[in-house]
Amino acid sequence: MKANRLRPGVIIKFEGELWRVFEAMHQTPGNLRARVQCKIKSLRTGSMKDYRFRSEEEVERAHLDQKQMQYLYADGAGFHFMDTDTFDQIVMSEETLGDTMLYLVAESKITVDFHEGSPVGIELPSAVDLKVVETPPEVRGATAGAQRKPAKLETGLVVQVPAFIGEGEMIRVSTEDGAYMERVK
């Protein structure tokens, strides 16, 4: 895959081992070539590394087995998932999943990636629908298009939303950059 398609949660093979992308920011600095600034974490050692890929550079995505699973709950041991066919359960740590869990609510169906029989991460859809649990009230007389305000969602994620969004509403959020996309009816 091209480096400009990297996004958080993707697992790549780099320097002979598996790495999870934690941050991926596409940059186009003036006259220079486009690049993707990434923060990646080794699945073997747990060490973090900053690396800059050229935008058109080929990156090897790790070949993983995938299973459809259901996210159940989180506790002190980690995040619990259940295989929807066999009802087997697995637990993954917060270090393994990172910020990807800010996009999941209990009972969500998700694709879990396995490498050599052990779970290494999840694959998020491009967008998720989440409920707004806390946001300041709308300011009367403000122009709707220009005003943005912070909104805390049911998973703890905070995103900037238009002024007309209120508490209790469902919104669609991009999992690539955590940006508000639209209100969900």
Side-chain angles (χ1 to χ4, degrees):
M1 69 189 272
K2 300 274 188 211
N4 62 2
R5 298 202 47 204
L6 289 176
R7 62 184 191 142
V10 171
I11 298 173
I12 60 172
K13 200 168 197 175
F14 178 68
E15 295 179 344
E17 60 181 274
L18 296 179
W19 297 79
R20 173 181 315 286
V21 177
F22 268 83
E23 291 177 14
M25 187 169 45
H26 194 267
Q27 301 171 334
T28 51
N31 295 351
L32 302 175
R33 290 182 178 213
R35 59 187 182 216
V36 179
Q37 183 70 37
C38 291
K39 184 173 278 193
I40 54 179
K41 182 177 183 179
S42 170
L43 295 181
R44 185 179 57 82
T45 65
S47 63
M48 295 288 278
K49 178 178 189 174
D50 286 321
Y51 192 80
R52 183 179 300 153
F53 295 98
R54 292 186 326 275
S55 184
E56 291 300 311
E57 185 176 343
E58 288 290 328
V59 178
E60 184 180 352
R61 189 170 188 160
H63 296 289
L64 304 169
D65 297 322
Q66 297 182 325
K67 282 187 188 174
Q68 186 71 24
M69 300 188 93
Q70 182 178 23
Y71 169 55
L72 299 175
Y73 61 92
D75 63 11
F79 299 98
H80 296 259
F81 296 85
M82 178 181 69
D83 187 323
T84 53
D85 297 328
T86 64
F87 303 109
D88 291 336
Q89 292 187 22
I90 61 167
V91 179
M92 286 193 273
S93 68
E94 187 172 350
E95 295 86 33
T96 300
L97 297 173
D99 290 343
T100 58
M101 293 310 296
L102 291 174
Y103 298 98
L104 287 185
V105 293
E107 300 183 17
S108 298
K109 302 270 194 225
I110 195 76
T111 302
V112 177
D113 297 324
F114 289 84
H115 184 13
E116 297 176 353
S118 60
V120 294
I122 61 174
E123 208 161 292
L124 292 173
S126 60
V128 292
D129 297 343
L130 298 170
K131 186 177 189 178
V132 176
V133 294
E134 187 180 315
T135 188
E138 181 178 355
V139 177
R140 294 283 174 209
T143 57
Q147 288 285 336
R148 292 278 184 172
K149 62 182 182 177
K152 185 176 182 179
L153 306 179
E154 61 188 311
T155 60
L157 180 66
V158 177
V159 297
Q160 294 293 317
V161 298
F164 59 84
I165 298 292
E167 290 181 9
E169 292 192 61
M170 294 292 288
I171 62 170
R172 185 158 293 139
V173 178
S174 166
T175 58
E176 293 185 23
D177 57 5
Y180 165 85
M181 294 173 73
E182 64 186 349
R183 185 182 347 196
V184 179
K185 302 269 188 233

